[in-house]
Amino acid sequence: MEKIHREMPELSSELRQSIIKMPKVIRECSGVSIYGKRIKSIIYTMDVAVIANNDADAVLAVYPWTPNTRILSAISQVAQVPILAGIGGGLTSGNRSSRLGTFAEEHGAYGVVLNGPSDLGTIEVVNEAVDIPIIYTVVNDKRDLHKLVAAGVDIFNVAGGNTAQLVKWIRESFPTFPIIASGGKTDEQIRETIEAGANAITYTTYGKTESYFQEKMESYRDQASPEE
C-alpha cells in the first residue's frame, strides 16, 4: 500500500509573522509528556517579548538572580505555553525554594527547576510542597544522581559544556528517565544531543530581540518614501 505523505498546514497572520522559531531538528526527539502535553522544544529566555512570540512547546524561566515571585507572575501573564520555573537551589534553598515552588505551581507552572548546587534537603522539602515535577540541573558528572532521584527529582536538565557526553553518561544508568538538555547552536550539535539520549531540547535566544529589531528597522527604512 502506498504511504500517504501528510504535511501539517501552518497558519499565521500579517501581524504575527515575526515569531522566533525553534530549529526543526528538535522535532526528532521523543519529547517529555507533562500532564498530557508533549514537550520537545523549550525556549530558554527571560525576555518577555520573546516569551510572547515564539513557537516553542515550553519556556525555561531560569535566571542568575534571586528568584522573585513578581518575575514569575509577569512571565505567566505573557507565556502562551507551559513554564518551567527556576526556584533557586544555590543561595536560595530550603524553605525559601519550597515557598517559591508553591507559588510557581499556583501560577500554573508545569515544573520547578533547581540549580546544580541544590542539596538533598532542599529537594526533599520542595518535593513535599509541590505536586508538579522537580527538574534538577546537571552541570557535571560529580553527583550521585540516584540519591537525587530518591529525594524527589523527576527530570534531569543537562546544561554543561559537554552536554552530549553528560546525557550519554546519564543514559547509561537511567535508560528511561526524562532528560532535558541544551542542544547547542547548530543542527549537528542538537542532533548529537538527541542521539545521546535527550528527550527534549532547550534553545537559547541570546540577542534575538536585538537582531529582529534591527531587521525590522532596515525593512522600515526601505519602505519609507520621501515626503511629497
Side-chain angles (χ1 to χ4, degrees), residues 166-180:
L166 278 176
V167 170
K168 190 176 296 184
W169 170 69
I170 295 171
R171 271 285 168 254
E172 292 175 356
S173 299
F174 300 89
T176 61
F177 200 81
I179 298 176
I180 296 168

Side-chain angles (χ1 to χ4, degrees), residues 97-119:
S97 288
S98 175
R99 290 194 297 271
L100 289 166
T102 301
F103 181 89
E105 182 175 7
E106 291 174 349
H107 281 70
Y110 269 48
V112 290
V113 185
L114 286 168
N115 296 331
S118 298
D119 56 59

Side-chain angles (χ1 to χ4, degrees), residues 23 25-26 183-193 201 203:
V25 65
I26 295 178
K185 297 181 179 180
T186 67
D187 286 358
E188 291 73 20
Q189 292 173 328
I190 294 172
R191 185 171 284 112
E192 180 185 8
T193 303
I201 297 293
Y203 182 70

Side-chain angles (χ1 to χ4, degrees), residues 6 16 36 44 55 60 82 100 137 141 144 151 153 172 181 183 213:
R6 296 182 176 89
R16 299 192 184 188
Y44 174 32
D55 67 352
L60 180 64
L100 289 166
T137 303
D141 59 359
D144 186 336
V153 169
E172 292 175 356
F213 190 69

